Amino acid sequence: MNTRKTDAMQRLLDIMERLRVECPWDREQTFESLRNNTIEETYELADAIADRNMDNIKEELGDLLLHVVFYSKLGDEEQAFDFADVADGICDKLIYRHPHVFGDIHADTPDEVRHNWEALKLRKKNRKSGTLGGVPRSLPAMVKAYRIGEKAAGVGFDWKHREDVWKKVAEEVREVETEMASGDKERLTGEFGDLFFALINACRLYGIDPELALERTNKKFITRFNGMEQQATADGRVFAELTPEEMDVLWEQQKSNEKQ
């Protein structure tokens, strides 16, 4: 056993015990009051991961771990559960859902592991909730769409060949174009949603994280756009007063600069 790790965990638990007694802010927190902070911390971790910044990842993991300890302390105070229950619970779940490691089931590929995982989850949960019952309602739409696709695929509802997804994408593009011509905004909204869902499924089938892919494009656009504005200022011009053609020239310059 690594005593450094266990000592660090015990230190955090001891600090939490003291904070709940001696700190006015920590003392007044509840499950409900911490919820939004937990969501924010999760997004901050996601940003650090997207940036591949190991120092920030370490820091944000610590912030998130604090929330796990905090909620466990609140559960202990209500005599509902404590940190040991939380840790034992996830240990039991991992052992149950990895029979290829802790049992006599064979799974030689990641796809086989995922299929077994989803099947075991569905068997363990209340069958009334169904395959998609475990998808959190509060997930952002893109993450939720990805998880829905994963869970459906886990029970066999998926394209036989991943290349077939592009037929669905093309079909949804045509339906978007049709609704654009009709002028019905409500139906157009629905068709855009179908197109996004198909593209997210394409990402899943090709092993791409759609959230990460889009965020990289967001950052690339911001960098290029900021460069365009800075170049316009350096040339003594007001960016907003440039013609679309002049903006296109600056845009291409920024793209060219990235390749150098």
Side-chain angles (χ1 to χ4, degrees), residues 117-225:
W117 178 278
E118 294 297 341
L120 288 167
K121 284 176 68 176
L122 185 59
R123 188 184 308 165
K124 190 79 172 180
K125 289 181 178 292
N126 185 336
R127 292 182 181 274
K128 291 182 180 179
S129 68
T131 300
L132 304 180
V135 179
R137 297 187 307 274
S138 299
L139 278 180
M142 182 178 291
V143 179
K144 184 185 290 186
Y146 192 93
R147 288 295 292 132
I148 288 171
E150 278 189 324
K151 285 183 172 291
V155 293
F157 187 74
D158 205 2
W159 282 271
K160 187 174 182 180
H161 305 289
R162 67 179 183 177
E163 294 81 7
D164 295 339
V165 72
W166 297 113
K167 297 177 183 177
K168 184 62 175 175
V169 171
E171 174 190 328
E172 298 300 347
V173 169
R174 291 193 297 270
E175 292 181 0
V176 166
E177 292 172 339
T178 298
E179 293 306 331
M180 287 177 68
S182 75
D184 188 323
K185 188 172 182 179
E186 187 64 26
R187 293 177 61 175
L188 179 59
T189 299
E191 294 302 339
F192 266 117
D194 291 345
L195 176 57
F196 289 148
F197 192 83
L199 285 169
I200 290 167
N201 268 299
C203 287
R204 174 180 58 81
L205 289 165
Y206 283 84
I208 301 299
D209 180 343
E211 184 75 25
L212 181 59
L214 182 57
E215 182 56 19
R216 286 182 179 176
T217 296
N218 289 340
K219 289 182 177 181
K220 180 168 60 178
F221 183 90
I222 290 170
T223 298
R224 290 178 182 174
F225 194 87

Side-chain angles (χ1 to χ4, degrees), residues 37-107:
N37 288 342
T38 305
I39 294 171
E40 181 179 342
E41 294 295 352
T42 304
Y43 277 108
E44 289 179 358
L45 173 60
D47 284 345
I49 292 172
D51 293 338
R52 291 285 298 173
N53 186 317
M54 292 300 167
D55 286 338
N56 285 354
I57 291 174
K58 179 182 69 174
E59 180 179 350
E60 298 304 338
L61 282 171
D63 291 343
L64 205 52
L65 179 58
L66 171 60
H67 281 248
V68 174
V69 170
F70 211 144
Y71 288 120
S72 299
K73 175 60 180 171
L74 295 175
D76 190 16
E77 291 171 358
E78 294 188 16
Q79 298 183 333
F81 60 87
D82 61 13
F83 181 79
D85 294 322
V86 173
D88 283 336
I90 189 59
C91 288
D92 291 343
K93 183 185 291 186
L94 288 172
I95 292 170
Y96 173 75
R97 292 186 184 173
H98 290 80
H100 54 288
V101 176
F102 301 102
D104 55 5
I105 301 297
H106 294 286

